[in-house]
Amino acid sequence: MSVLIYIDHTEGQIKKGSLEALSYGAALARKLNTTAEALLLGTVKEELSTLGKYGIAKIHQAADESFNAADAQVIANAVSAAVSASGANVVIFSFNATGVAVAPRLAASLKAGLVAGAVALPETENGFIVKKTVFSGKASAKVKINSAVKIISLNANSFGIHEMGDTTAEINIVDITPTENKVKVLSTELIKGEVPLAEAEIVVSGGRGLKGPENWYLISDLAHELHGAIACSRPVADDGWRPHHEHVGQTGVQVAPNLYIAIGISGAIQHLGGVNRSKTIVVINKDADAPFFKAADYGIVGDAFEVVPKMIEAVKKLKG
Amino acid sequence: MKILVAISKVPDTTAKITFKDGGTKFNEDGVQWIINPYDEWYALVRAVELKEAAADTIIHLVTVGDASSDAILRKVLALGGDEAIRVNAIPGDSFSVASEIAAVAKEGNYDLIFTGKEAIDYNASAVGGMLAELLNLPYVATATKFEISGNTATIVREIEGGEETDEASLPLVVSCAKGMAMQRIPNMRGIIGARSKPLKVVEPTSVESLTEVVGFELPPVKTGVKLVDADNVDELVRLLHEEAKVI
Ligand SMILES: Cc1cc2nc3c(=O)[nH]c(=O)nc-3n(C[C@H](O)[C@H](O)[C@H](O)COP(=O)(O)OP(=O)(O)OC[C@H]3O[C@@H](n4cnc5c(N)ncnc54)[C@H](O)[C@@H]3O)c2cc1C
């Protein structure tokens, strides 16, 4: 019996979401009085044994380089082999682009119950119950997993990355042969210099109140000063002012940063659903009756074109 | 080419979400039901576009649900499906739904299976991947573009901080996200035509769920917004730094 955490990586680097998954898996293992082990398929630049600091006892590595470009099916098959070999009964993924494709495959092949989008550690006193968001953030559900093997994919920014001390993890090289790769990656395009929205701790978001794409420097300048990601409401993306991947809300990206700053966004129910798990919400809107103020922690009733430049200056002053 | 599109019925996006029976059940009173937006706007419309480009394409629609789902199926037929199949069961968890759809898919020998990126009620994004595994097919999740040439599909999908272009051969399972197609509204001809299209009801294989919802919670209500004067933006930044400790 153990907890097995899948380590996701890209371009030789472990993804931030996986560091969170490692911290979560380790905390769960402590709660269950068992060991936290991790699985790395392929290779990364980091010294793996240092992942011990997150509370991981052992890391299984299948170092075949072809895993670095493996599709979800190949990864799921390999994780399945590792689950059998290690005897793990809980498997943790990050609920990201990899987890969303791999975890359901693994769940179906192992007949393991899956909770996708977990936001807290399981309650284990009375069965195994995991809290997750439902209705696109408008509520949460407690989901009981009844199968022997349990799979959880963890929502970004819902547990945090926690270091436990200077321990090193044991490395166990395992021999897993990749199965046939059927989905070939032709190219990858990363938007350089931008903080990925789903991982961001600070998100600055603009709505129709900004009047047009030419005014987006207000959003990006503020985001830049705060090292945050930029986002927008749906009509902004629909009208082509901003790319689709920046659209947040019930039918867009769901985010839960530490700080969400909504500028010129009314706060429609479909928008709120996707952002209301943010820890602190700031609303800047010239209409004092905008519904968003009801969901906000801090607000300024005022014109974005006057308030935001002042805010940029104030942040600059703060950061020295 | 034969395409299967998985459709689910979800509460309208403006529906007020409340619970009953001590927070253990979703309160359906007064709730309007809609086709899951990802299924309708992206999965189905892209399938219809593929049919418009290649007339010998057949589109089947499948849902797991009781007779209350028939209205949704008529609407998707009006948008362009050729035949709808309803697995006559109250949907359980993602695994049981995927298992029921897999049984239908095995019967129909489809070249392509589209699902929405997620259902906006349970947000698990799991049915497509489970279905692919049960059918032993490749799977591409959260696709924003899908092109086909012969037997080879080129697909763009969202990844953290960017996108990825993939290539895969049919048969294939794809979950569809924004970008795949533009939302359409059914026209009169479609609505009338839908009345005579077949809507088949099949009995479930009754695969058991592996998980169950034992309770719901609403997010904590905000205690009230702290308003800062528009002439005092420095104060907002100070509060964010010293009080909320987020910058
Ligand atoms: C099925 C469905 C799904 C949807 N999904 C989503 C979703 O995922 N995400 C989403 O965002 N929306 C979604 N919507 C749309 C949603 O209902 C709203 O229409 C949308 O969020 C409004 O965007 P907005 O606030 O930018 O624009 P508006 O509603 O036009 O609001 C603009 C705001 O800017 C303020 N403003 C104007 N000028 C200024 C200024 N100079 N300074 C400061 N403030 C100013 C106004 O007071 C107003 O509050 C969905 C709708 C449907 C039907």
Side-chain angles (χ1 to χ4, degrees), chain A residues 13-80:
Chain A
Q13 215 115 48
I14 296 176
K15 290 189 191 167
K16 189 177 154 202
S18 282
L19 300 183
E20 199 173 1
L22 288 169
S23 303
Y24 178 91
L28 175 58
R30 286 193 296 279
K31 193 167 175 175
L32 295 171
N33 255 321
T34 176
T35 53
E37 303 183 0
L39 172 68
L40 184 96
L41 302 174
T43 51
V44 291
K45 294 192 194 98
E46 278 111 315
E47 180 55 59
L48 282 181
S49 60
T50 64
L51 298 179
K53 66 174 179 251
Y54 300 111
I56 306 301
K58 194 189 230 177
I59 295 167
H60 306 278
Q61 182 180 20
D64 191 319
E65 299 252 340
S66 68
F67 276 123
N68 294 342
D71 75 12
Q73 197 166 13
V74 177
I75 297 174
N77 291 340
V79 179
S80 173

Side-chain angles (χ1 to χ4, degrees), chain B residues 10 13 15-16 18 25 40 51 74 80 132 135 138 144 146 166 196 204 231 233 237 244 246:
Chain B
V10 295
T13 56
K16 191 160 166 53
T18 59
K25 285 211 171 61
E40 177 186 346
K51 188 181 166 89
R74 286 287 170 215
L135 299 169
T144 56
F146 180 94
D166 295 341
S196 55
D231 295 325
V233 182
V237 171
V246 285

Side-chain angles (χ1 to χ4, degrees), chain A residues 208 211 233-234 247-251 264 266 270-271 285 303-304:
Chain A
R208 230 163 15 190
K211 314 271 188 278
S233 66
R234 180 170 157 219
H247 148 205
V248 293
Q250 188 166 6
T251 50
S266 58
Q270 297 98 345
H271 186 89
N285 195 305
D303 187 335

Side-chain angles (χ1 to χ4, degrees), chain A residues 269-291:
Chain A
I269 187 165
Q270 297 98 345
H271 186 89
L272 293 180
V275 305
N276 66 9
R277 284 190 311 113
S278 307
K279 282 159 203 103
T280 299
I281 294 179
V282 173
V283 169
I284 299 169
N285 195 305
K286 69 174 186 190
D287 174 9
D289 293 326

Side-chain angles (χ1 to χ4, degrees), chain B residues 154-172:
Chain B
T154 310
I155 308 138
V156 178
R157 72 177 291 240
E158 292 169 358
I159 56 170
E160 287 81 44
E163 55 183 38
E164 172 185 288
T165 307
D166 295 341
E167 187 182 270
S169 301
L170 303 186
L172 178 67

